[in-house]
Amino acid sequence: MHLPLTHHTLPNGLRVTISEDHTAPVVAVNLWYHVGSANERQGRTGFAHLFEHMLFQGSEHVGANEHFELVQRAGGTLNGSTWLDRTNYYETVPSHQLALALWLEADRMGRLLPAMTQEKLDNQRDVVKNERRWSVDNQPYGTWWERLPALSFPSEHPYHHSLIGSFEDLDAASLDDVSEFFATWYTPDNAVLSIVGDVETAEALRLVTEYFGAIPRGKNRPALPPMSVPARFGEWRREVVHDEVMVPRLFLASRCPVFGTAAAAVGTITAAVLGSGKGSRLQERLVRGQQVASSAVAFTFDLSRGSDLFVLDVTAHAEVSAEALEGAVVAELDRLRTDGVTEAEVQRAVTLTATEYVTSMQSVQSRADRLSQFATHVGDAAAINTQVDRWRAVRAEDVTAFAREWLGPDNRASLLYVPREVAEVA
Amino acid sequence: MTAPVRPGASTPRSFSFPATVEHRLSNGLRVLCAPLRRLPAATIVFTANAGAEQEEASSAGVASLAAQSLAEGTLRLGANELVTAFESLGGELGSGADWTHAECGVTILTPQLEAAMRLLGETVREPALPGDGVVRLRQERLSELLQQEAEPRGQADDAFSVACVGMGTRDGLPLGGDKLTVAKCTPELVRSFHRAHYVPDGARLVVTGDVSPDEVFRLAESVYGGWHGTAVQGTAATPAAAPPSGGVQVMDRADAPQSELRIGHVSVARTHPDFYALSIANAILGGLFNSRINMNLREAHGYTYGAFSSFDWRRHTSVWSVSTAVKSEVTVAAAQEVLNEIARFRQEPVKADELSLARDYLVGVFPLRFETTAAIGGAIAAREGFGLSADYYDTYRERMSAVTIDDVHRVARTHWRPELLQIVAVGNAAEIREPLTSLLERTK
């Protein structure tokens, strides 16, 4: 797979990648701002995400929720999402509606604040609190995605605190915070724009220049606090959560090299050997073989600075104890480190990973989002075209070495959920 | 400087749903090939009339288990050998049962087409269906049902379906069966279900992607040509008896921070001619982000992260529901707003700009729904499963565009039936059961 790409940088610093594909009359517009929960100041956990909600509350020439209406009326789909180290906004539209999608993104990048009101902020604060209740508080194991980063990064580290935020910090968010966050982070020189699909590059670039060209650069963007942490935990951290769940579930994290590095490509293949597809080691041994688990996957967080996390996520079979579950998972990790992997296992993992990557690119929005990810985190959208080669270069000895270097007992953090009743009896 | 003005649209380019070429094998298997010149990828889906509607209510879940058990190996290959063989070609074997049909398929890059076609054929024709593998999958389903006891969303969905359709019918039970019926699905039952329903006669092989129909047909002849078997006269679902009258059911979670709320009732068959008008009516009432219900509950009141309505389309009796999760103390107020919106929808015609938003969205988003070979393959499998006409996707936008304000008002008055409304909530029963019950009484 080799996608045709052109790269452009506007005088105000906005980086643009365009990839033409005329096989279907659709186009994806995808904008990444290089800001996430890691950039929040103390006492404002959850603000980056609350702010993402405010971007759908209108801008100078767009009414509240009109962004949704205009895109859907145009036959398009849209959304946004917030992560630890980025926030993205995207539209997929029939290709004759490209101008509308670009104009909407430009109006809120350039002229958000005139539309902001206390009433809208209060309303979206309530919506986000309900999002927290729905996705975290009222969902079995729902707290894992704030507990695991908290366990894995020291308290002063930007990746430590909750992405969705605490009710207290959400309550403290003010309109002044909105203005300040907008002025600091939502600037063209802190964003990348990817356009993929049925467009003419020159015409798309003309529209981008017309709509985004006059938006001024940012200034005084603060540096992140130091992101670096020791490469390994240097210990085996353990947290046991007695919760409203019916069966145990283990998250086992290791620090590992950050997204975009050659070592991270080995990490992806190692995760696939262990926990991608029905033929993975964890499926073969824990799900089909010993039948201690009903599901078992492995993945990386793909964090870009300081350290990434390599995570095993394994849910116990009914009536399997937390101890038995953890013992079986750890035995597999240790066996991987002791005995290594075979070339056949690595080839299965590489072929599966590469095929899923290529087939996901059938969607113009998946392609655009990948381009933005590479442009934001490795400074080169064209890395989209060499990713598969990096995976194909991985050999069995690389995976074995990765496991020995990164997945040992001195670099593990266990987050173990245990049914509450059982815990009380024990 | 002045801001750029809001742009209009340029000229739309035409889009057609990929044309399907069909070839019928002498054993009755229909091969449907939709060539697509995009990336070098292909999706292969075998689909049989082996869905949940072919089950007895007492052993609900056997269709899902039979489909999942296909991954447990063949007469030649053990489970791990089989799934590893697929994944060494680049694709994960996926199999499962829907209401109308079962599917077993894989997406690969086109150089692997022949190998994947042969392996999929072996999986479907000569599965081992080993006792230990079937029992393990049954345990995994029971484990899933156990976990659901602490999972309010799934709990609410399953209880709602029973409340709408009625106890003791196959349609009221979850797609994968419940713990009583799944426990009855022995390996022998799974094997006999497979023997009866995985036969070439009436089955479909759907292949989409960068492939040539001639090659696909040649491979299909080679892989499936020597296979024989005639479809049994199934127990295919019959129209349900009259649905239960409306009511309230609350499952207690005393300290829940939110109530999971479901409101709705049974609706018409997927093939009903009012499908298009109902789709637009639903989009306006609760299907779109800018729908009346979401704008009311989320944007005006801040009660919820989201509130949406949708159809679970079935061959005979579909289920329509409004689904949301709201802060516990506003559960009754939120339910009241939903009932008000349903009542208002029946009383007054929708506005022209509401109709155009829903229509233009459903028509305009059509090409976006079919970007991938897997999406196109799944769409063809679904069309065949419901027995929709061969030109269903070709005429979809035209039919959707023809819906008028009067059509929407007529279907709202005909198909939204206040006397059938069910309310299911998972939340603090002591606080919400009584007020929800009296709220519904006042609505009838």
Side-chain angles (χ1 to χ4, degrees):
Chain A
M1 183 193 74
H2 189 87
L3 303 176
L5 306 174
T6 62
H7 309 282
H8 320 268
T9 302
L10 301 194
N12 62 12
L14 180 67
R15 288 182 291 148
V16 185
T17 302
I18 302 173
S19 182
E20 290 191 30
D21 171 1
H22 301 284
T23 57
V26 298
V27 63
V29 168
N30 179 292
L31 188 58
W32 276 40
Y33 291 94
H34 201 175
V35 57
S37 62
N39 303 89
E40 288 158 356
R41 65 184 174 90
Q42 204 148 36
R44 289 295 182 277
T45 62
F47 191 79
H49 171 247
L50 174 60
F51 188 85
E52 175 216 319
H53 277 244
M54 296 307 290
L55 252 70
F56 293 92
Q57 292 302 310
S59 47
E60 188 174 1
H61 303 99
V62 181
N65 295 309
E66 199 187 4
H67 189 110
F68 264 95
E69 180 175 342
L70 289 169
V71 173
Q72 294 200 320
R73 199 177 273 285
T77 58
L78 70 156
N79 216 330
S81 75
T82 307
W83 187 229
L84 278 68
D85 51 13
R86 58 87 181 145
T87 310
N88 67 1
Y89 300 87
Y90 49 92
E91 295 80 25
T92 311
V93 291
S95 47
H96 66 291
Q97 299 282 4
L98 170 69
L100 174 68
L102 290 171
W103 178 85
L104 283 165
E105 289 299 353
D107 202 57
R108 59 187 180 182
M109 184 194 282
R111 293 165 293 277
L112 178 79
L113 295 180
M116 295 294 101
T117 67
Q118 189 63 44
E119 190 188 358
K120 288 175 179 175
L121 179 61
D122 292 341
N123 169 261
Q124 290 305 307
R125 195 194 326 267
D126 284 342
V127 170
V128 167
K129 285 181 179 177
N130 276 307
E131 183 176 358
R132 185 191 161 89
R133 292 181 185 102
W134 183 75
S135 65
V136 179
D137 299 331
N138 201 30
Q139 191 58 24
Y141 319 104
T143 57
W144 82 266
W145 61 289
E146 56 186 13
R147 288 183 187 274
L148 197 65
L151 183 64
S152 303
F153 293 97
S155 59
E156 68 281 10
H157 192 279
Y159 289 156
H160 173 89
H161 68 262
S162 167
L163 187 154
I164 192 102
S166 67
F167 282 175
E168 188 187 358
D169 287 356
L170 290 168
D171 280 333
S174 69
L175 271 186
D176 285 345
D177 292 323
V178 171
S179 303
E180 188 195 330
F181 201 81
F182 178 71
T184 307
W185 303 107
Y186 278 68
T187 63
D189 51 326
N190 195 42
V192 302
L193 173 64
S194 303
I195 302 170
V196 176
D198 180 30
V199 298
E200 302 296 335
T201 299
E203 170 63 5
L205 193 59
R206 187 189 69 73
L207 290 168
V208 170
T209 306
E210 180 184 345
Y211 298 153
F212 291 87
I215 302 171
R217 271 177 188 273
K219 48 191 168 198
N220 306 326
R221 195 161 65 240
L224 281 167
M227 301 291 283
S228 63
V229 287
R232 292 169 197 75
F233 291 124
E235 60 181 339
W236 192 331
R237 300 178 180 184
R238 293 168 188 281
E239 180 176 344
V240 177
V241 183
H242 299 144
D243 210 351
E244 201 70 35
V245 297
M246 302 303 286
V247 296
R249 181 169 170 186
L250 172 68
F251 294 88
L252 187 63
S254 299
R255 284 192 185 151
C256 67
V258 295
F259 176 81
T261 58
V266 181
T268 299
I269 298 306
T270 307
V273 166
L274 275 170
S276 236
K278 292 186 169 71
S280 74
R281 274 199 177 196
L282 297 181
Q283 282 286 322
E284 182 192 358
R285 306 272 299 191
L286 305 186
V287 177
R288 276 196 302 276
Q290 301 165 45
Q291 306 191 8
V292 294
S294 59
S295 83
V297 296
F299 57 89
T300 53
F301 262 54
D302 291 350
L303 298 172
S304 60
R305 307 251 187 102
S307 173
D308 193 11
L309 293 177
F310 184 104
V311 182
L312 306 184
D313 169 5
V314 186
T315 304
H317 225 306
E319 290 165 30
V320 169
S321 73
E323 294 74 23
L325 178 73
E326 184 170 22
V329 173
V330 168
E332 280 310 307
L333 265 191
D334 290 342
R335 192 171 70 91
L336 180 70
R337 287 164 44 79
T338 312
D339 301 348
V341 295
T342 65
E343 207 60 62
E345 284 181 287
V346 172
Q347 283 322 301
R348 181 201 69 89
V350 168
T351 310
L352 184 63
T353 304
T355 303
E356 285 180 350
Y357 180 81
V358 173
T359 54
S360 77
M361 298 288 168
Q362 294 180 87
S363 144
V364 287
Q365 191 57 256
S366 299
R367 245 177 285 170
D369 200 57
R370 281 283 186 179
L371 288 169
S372 296
Q373 181 185 29
F374 284 117
T376 301
H377 290 327
V378 304
D380 179 17
I384 198 169
N385 282 328
T386 52
Q387 183 68 60
V388 168
D389 297 337
R390 280 189 158 184
W391 290 326
R392 291 202 191 285
V394 175
R395 296 285 166 265
E397 60 263 29
D398 301 324
V399 171
T400 303
F402 184 95
R404 289 182 181 151
E405 190 169 357
W406 299 106
L407 307 181
D410 66 337
N411 188 28
R412 291 176 186 165
S414 309
L415 174 64
L416 184 60
Y417 283 85
V418 182
R420 191 170 275 151
E421 292 83 349
V422 175
E424 281 162 5
V425 174
Chain B
M1 67 160 280
T2 51
V5 296
R6 183 183 293 185
S10 60
T11 315
R13 270 188 50 204
S14 68
F15 172 85
S16 305
F17 186 82
T20 308
V21 195
E22 180 167 345
H23 173 75
R24 195 184 185 95
L25 271 54
S26 60
N27 59 15
L29 179 73
R30 295 168 59 212
V31 186
L32 301 159
C33 181
L36 192 70
R37 303 276 169 263
R38 295 188 195 166
L39 284 176
T43 296
I44 313 162
V45 184
F46 174 87
T47 164
N49 300 319
E53 66 183 27
Q54 299 288 339
E55 300 169 338
E56 302 290 344
S58 59
S59 54
V62 69
S64 290
L65 280 174
Q68 290 161 11
S69 296
L70 296 176
E72 295 300 309
T74 65
L75 300 180
R76 184 176 67 96
L77 298 170
N80 201 56
E81 290 172 304
L82 177 68
V83 294
T84 301
F86 271 108
E87 290 166 14
S88 298
L89 297 174
E92 183 172 345
L93 174 65
S95 61
D98 205 332
W99 291 101
T100 54
H101 64 284
E103 285 183 21
C104 180
V106 66
T107 296
I108 39 81
L109 300 182
T110 43
Q112 313 297 349
L113 178 70
E114 175 164 355
M117 288 267 288
R118 293 193 182 283
L119 200 54
L120 188 70
E122 180 181 342
T123 307
V124 168
R125 288 185 56 180
E126 298 164 348
L129 307 176
D132 57 346
V134 174
V135 168
R136 193 197 86 245
L137 289 168
R138 185 175 69 187
Q139 287 307 115
E140 285 177 14
R141 172 61 184 160
L142 292 172
S143 196
E144 180 181 63
L145 288 165
L146 175 70
Q147 288 185 59
Q148 197 167 289
E149 291 175 22
E151 203 278 284
R153 294 176 212 168
Q155 244 185 324
D157 288 337
D158 283 357
F160 180 74
S161 186
V162 178
C164 290
V165 179
M167 294 282 281
T169 65
R170 176 61 193 97
D171 275 1
L173 293 164
L175 181 61
D178 70 15
K179 61 185 175 190
L180 294 177
T181 66
V182 170
K184 292 185 187 146
C185 297
T186 60
E188 187 38 53
L189 195 67
V190 167
R191 285 183 207 121
S192 67
F193 187 87
H194 181 271
R195 273 195 303 276
H197 299 292
Y198 285 74
V199 291
D201 182 28
R204 286 79 64 187
L205 181 72
V206 181
V207 183
T208 60
D210 191 5
V211 297
S212 99
D214 286 347
E215 190 192 1
V216 166
F217 298 155
R218 180 184 63 77
L219 284 169
E221 286 283 1
S222 159
V223 173
Y224 296 93
W227 191 25
H228 298 289
T230 311
V232 291
Q233 291 307 309
T235 53
T238 46
S245 56
V248 172
Q249 190 186 341
V250 177
M251 278 158 292
D252 190 26
R253 280 172 67 89
D255 52 359
Q258 277 184 328
S259 303
E260 280 288 344
L261 200 53
R262 305 287 180 274
I263 300 176
H265 53 58
V266 292
S267 194
V268 298
R270 174 64 180 81
T271 47
H272 195 285
D274 284 341
F275 169 79
Y276 300 94
L278 271 172
S279 296
I280 286 187
N282 178 67
I284 296 167
L285 179 57
L288 296 176
F289 184 88
N290 290 67
S291 72
R292 290 181 180 184
I293 287 175
N294 194 50
M295 283 297 111
N296 180 332
L297 267 61
R298 171 177 156 134
E299 297 295 311
H301 285 103
Y303 287 159
T304 178
Y305 176 49
F308 291 93
S309 65
S310 62
F311 286 93
D312 175 5
W313 291 108
R314 310 267 184 94
R315 188 181 306 280
H316 296 293
T317 306
S318 304
V319 177
W320 177 79
S321 65
V322 178
S323 171
T324 188
V326 298
K327 216 168 21 168
S328 296
E329 55 267 37
V330 300
T331 306
V332 179
Q336 171 84 68
E337 292 298 331
V338 171
L339 296 179
N340 289 350
E341 291 294 356
I342 295 172
R344 180 162 74 94
F345 207 87
R346 298 181 76 250
Q347 278 152 18
E348 310 161 7
V350 298
K351 297 193 192 73
D353 68 337
E354 291 181 300
L355 176 77
S356 65
L357 170 61
R359 183 194 61 208
D360 293 352
Y361 172 71
L362 289 169
V363 170
V365 84
F366 187 80
L368 274 55
R369 290 168 54 196
F370 304 113
E371 281 191 278
T372 68
T373 55
I376 296 162
I380 294 171
R383 179 188 74 196
E384 297 299 321
F386 277 115
L388 295 166
S389 64
D391 67 354
Y392 170 70
Y393 293 110
D394 304 319
T395 58
Y396 173 92
R397 285 171 289 178
E398 196 182 319
R399 289 172 187 268
M400 205 58 92
S401 299
V403 172
T404 65
I405 288 176
D406 286 347
D407 293 332
V408 171
H409 199 206
R410 177 183 58 78
V411 298
R413 299 188 68 84
T414 313
H415 300 307
W416 271 295
R417 299 169 60 185
E419 77 281 8
L420 293 184
L421 279 170
Q422 302 286 343
I423 300 181
V424 168
V426 180
N428 186 339
E431 282 183 12
I432 63 179
R433 181 177 280 129
E434 285 307 316
L436 282 177
T437 306
S438 55
L439 173 66
L440 191 65
E441 282 306 316
R442 291 200 301 276
T443 306
K444 281 182 182 172

